[in-house]
Amino acid sequence: MKKVYIETYGCQMNVYDSEIVKSVLGKSGYELTDSEAEADIVLLNTCSVRENANRKVYNRIHQIKQRRNDERVMIGILGCMATNFRKQLLENPKLPIDFIAGPDSYKRLPQLISEVSANGADGKNFDVTLSEFETYSDVYPTQSSGVNAWVAVMRGCDNFCTFCVVPYTRGRERSRSPENVVDEVKRLADQGFRQVTLLGQNVNSYNYEGKDFAYLLQKVSEVQGIERIRFTSPHPKDFPRNLLQVIAENPRVCKQIHLPLQAGNDRILEMMNRTYTQKEYLELVDEIRGLIPNIVLTTDIIVGFPTETDEEFEDTVKVMEQVVFDSAFIFKYSERPHTIAQRKFPDDVPDAVKTERIVRLNELQKTHSYQKNEAHIGEIHEVLIEQETTKKSPDEFQGRNDGNKIVIFPRGDYRKGQFVHVRITEVTAHVLRGEVVEVLSK
Ligand code: SAH
Ligand code: SF4
Ligand code: F3S
């Protein structure tokens, strides 16, 4: 029996897909292993959203081959580089890879692998076609036991933000049926999961025969055993009111929204094709906070988009200061092949300027995160326990509160998967600390 090892890069969608791949290959008689050293087939499920993500993968391919020079190891490239970099991958004779499969081709993997085995070492086999329909609704991903499970509710993206490669790597947007999603969530509940996070590139545009994302959230929240539901990401351009209402009123839907801002300046937002203005974004934040006052808001920001001036960058600072996010992922603009920005706008902001801007925003965000966390001192938070140790200490437990913030507290007579009430006593910009005041029975 051939042994397969899979390594995952990029976002949660890729993590989810890796479980689909394991499920497909497991059914076809492959054995899965956690050890690269003993694998006959090494799969790299790749990301291509920024240049450094690509670089990591090229380095890994050479590493794997070098270490196993004398043995036959098959290397397959999956995921977003498979579609967006297929030419480079296929045509570079120095790259020791055997096959390539894009995000919509995973059901064909057993066939691709056996074709490579039959043909020997020459030639690279590939299937990178993107599908309008594939949602893997007939494949349930393997999920090892845990507390939180990810569930893809849609695939692809039709937004074409000009900087972004995802519409090219993952193709057109398509939604899974609510029944199919609910079935998967029921299985997860039976396996002991307490929380699910619904995934899509833009969940607001979820649509299955007229059923929208608010409907889906409501249905998922009715599954017995799942106590918490999160989702990522919504797009600020079209946040429906009925979705806000479900978040506000449904106790199982966590009061946390990841709302990618990208930039604070209207000219840059327009060049990015984000289709909202600074004013509209700020109004949406006000509306959200009006309905759900304790909402935790997080965001993504890009600095140094082509032609962004110092003054325009200050608009991003201004929006951050006005909103005060609980946390933010901040990135330097990275030009991606095939995107609209790559074709139309030269990457003209010097790297030193991007660095200056990212350092400034990271510092600003750190003070905001601390400020937000400090306000929690003295509060009692409901925490879902995720780990019975922490990185720093075997005598501490770790979990997350409703807002998805990490909460650390001393070891006690509790278990992973249980809910406890924790009084917050100390904070940093990254974590909350406290003591358990009550064990909850749910
Ligand atoms: N669909 C998600 C985003 C997926 S990519 C959404 O719209 O929320 C995650 C983040 O990576 C984006 O929000 C953006 O901030 C960042 N990103 C995407 N392309 C990038 C690029 N070319 N350069 C730098 N950051 C980028
Ligand atoms: Fe990329 Fe925009 Fe789609 Fe998000 S919404 S995946 S940033 S194109
Ligand atoms: Fe995800 Fe990276 Fe693809 S962020 S969608 S794995 S390009």
Side-chain angles (χ1 to χ4, degrees):
M1 211 192 245
K2 283 203 171 148
K3 288 190 179 159
V4 183
Y5 166 78
I6 179 162
E7 198 165 279
T8 310
Y9 298 81
C11 66
Q12 287 304 327
M13 194 62 93
N14 259 14
V15 176
Y16 180 86
D17 282 359
S18 286
E19 301 304 318
I20 289 196
V21 169
K22 287 185 196 168
S23 178
V24 168
L25 291 177
K27 276 198 195 113
S28 301
Y30 290 91
E31 190 184 329
L32 298 156
T33 168
D34 290 332
S35 147
E36 183 226 306
E38 62 174 42
D40 306 296
I41 303 169
V42 175
L43 302 176
L44 302 180
N45 192 3
T46 63
C47 171
S48 141
V49 78
R50 284 172 291 276
E51 182 53 32
N52 51 8
N54 272 35
R55 221 172 292 133
K56 265 193 235 160
V57 169
Y58 285 127
N59 289 341
R60 273 300 275 152
I61 297 173
H62 290 294
Q63 244 178 24
I64 294 163
K65 252 322 200 248
Q66 236 164 33
R67 201 139 57 83
R68 315 234 6 221
N69 238 346
D70 44 339
E71 292 165 74
R72 175 90 186 102
V73 55
M74 211 186 265
I75 299 182
I77 303 296
L78 318 180
C80 290
M81 272 174 76
T83 31
N84 206 42
F85 284 85
R86 59 176 168 259
K87 247 178 122 46
Q88 287 94 320
L89 290 168
L90 288 167
E91 286 170 8
N92 183 345
K94 289 208 202 96
L95 262 192
I97 55 175
D98 301 283
F99 61 92
I100 302 175
D104 290 339
S105 310
Y106 298 151
K107 284 189 204 156
R108 284 241 308 132
L109 270 175
Q111 197 184 332
L112 282 172
I113 296 173
S114 60
E115 281 166 15
V116 173
S117 311
N119 296 342
D122 49 339
K124 292 170 183 171
N125 204 354
F126 64 97
D127 184 343
V128 293
T129 33
L130 289 167
S131 155
E132 272 174 63
F133 310 105
E134 183 62 85
T135 58
Y136 296 105
S137 57
D138 51 344
V139 183
Y140 285 110
T142 60
Q143 303 248 18
S144 45
S145 64
V147 173
N148 173 64
W150 304 86
V151 178
V153 302
M154 53 200 299
R155 301 181 70 86
C157 183
D158 287 350
N159 283 309
F160 291 93
C161 301
T162 57
F163 52 81
C164 184
V165 84
V166 174
Y168 307 90
T169 64
R170 291 189 162 266
R172 299 291 56 76
E173 191 171 279
R174 60 222 107 112
S175 302
R176 278 172 74 185
S177 80
E179 294 75 26
N180 192 233
V181 172
V182 166
D183 274 351
E184 186 170 329
V185 174
K186 280 185 183 153
R187 280 167 170 251
L188 293 166
D190 290 344
Q191 283 172 258
F193 285 94
R194 311 303 314 272
Q195 171 179 299
V196 291
T197 307
L198 307 183
L199 280 178
Q201 298 301 345
N202 173 15
V203 294
N204 294 351
S205 56
Y206 176 90
N207 182 332
Y208 189 87
E209 294 175 356
K211 302 285 199 307
D212 64 4
F213 190 65
Y215 173 89
L216 181 71
L217 259 190
Q218 189 59 38
K219 284 288 162 204
V220 168
S221 78
E222 289 162 14
V223 174
Q224 285 301 310
I226 298 295
E227 297 292 343
R228 276 186 179 173
I229 300 143
R230 303 186 191 280
F231 60 89
T232 195
S233 312
H235 195 298
K237 70 174 173 168
D238 56 356
F239 212 116
R241 182 83 185 194
N242 67 341
L243 178 55
L244 284 179
Q245 234 124 21
V246 172
I247 303 167
E249 289 161 15
N250 191 317
R252 285 184 169 157
V253 178
C254 293
K255 311 294 175 259
Q256 173 226 338
I257 298 177
H258 184 66
L259 199 63
L261 166 69
Q262 311 302 3
N265 175 270
D266 286 348
R267 188 182 72 89
I268 298 296
L269 283 169
E270 188 171 346
M271 281 176 79
M272 287 177 162
N273 190 31
R274 292 291 290 179
T275 67
Y276 52 83
T277 60
Q278 177 196 94
K279 183 162 171 277
E280 284 164 345
Y281 186 94
L282 291 171
E283 282 170 358
L284 175 60
V285 169
D286 283 346
E287 189 189 358
I288 293 173
R289 287 192 168 144
L291 268 170
I292 317 163
N294 57 344
I295 194 83
V296 165
L297 281 182
T298 60
T299 200
D300 290 345
I301 290 170
I302 297 176
V303 297
F305 187 81
T307 73
E308 184 185 61
T309 64
D310 285 340
E311 230 176 10
E312 288 166 334
F313 166 70
E314 291 303 325
D315 280 337
T316 303
V317 177
K318 189 181 127 194
V319 175
M320 283 177 75
E321 277 173 341
Q322 210 157 320
V323 176
V324 189
F325 294 103
D326 288 86
S327 71
F329 297 99
I330 302 160
F331 308 103
K332 288 186 198 177
Y333 172 70
S334 168
E335 187 180 83
R336 307 315 293 136
H338 306 137
T339 57
I340 300 162
Q342 188 241 359
R343 282 176 271 148
K344 284 173 65 176
F345 318 127
D347 181 9
D348 61 356
V349 176
D351 191 59
V353 175
K354 290 180 186 167
T355 303
E356 227 169 77
R357 290 180 188 169
I358 198 173
V359 167
R360 172 135 173 245
L361 293 194
N362 276 326
E363 272 167 16
L364 179 63
Q365 185 52 48
K366 205 167 155 198
T367 63
H368 288 168
S369 298
Y370 183 77
Q371 187 183 325
K372 285 279 176 183
N373 287 351
E374 200 182 21
H376 294 312
I377 292 178
E379 291 175 355
I380 291 179
H381 288 192
E382 188 183 289
V383 175
L384 171 55
I385 303 175
E386 290 181 346
Q387 293 177 30
E388 298 182 3
T389 56
T390 60
K391 258 190 247 157
K392 289 199 181 131
S393 163
D395 295 323
E396 287 177 328
F397 277 32
Q398 176 172 320
R400 282 177 194 264
N401 69 6
D402 187 274
N404 212 22
K405 293 187 180 177
I406 293 175
V407 182
I408 293 175
F409 51 92
R411 160 176 296 282
D413 192 14
Y414 338 107
R415 274 172 296 107
K416 194 169 127 177
Q418 259 182 339
F419 285 86
V420 288
H421 269 154
V422 176
R423 178 182 291 113
I424 307 302
T425 54
E426 265 178 78
V427 301
T428 69
H430 307 291
V431 298
L432 313 179
R433 289 175 177 274
E435 55 210 11
V436 174
V437 292
E438 190 184 6
V439 180
L440 303 176
S441 58
K442 64 180 182 186

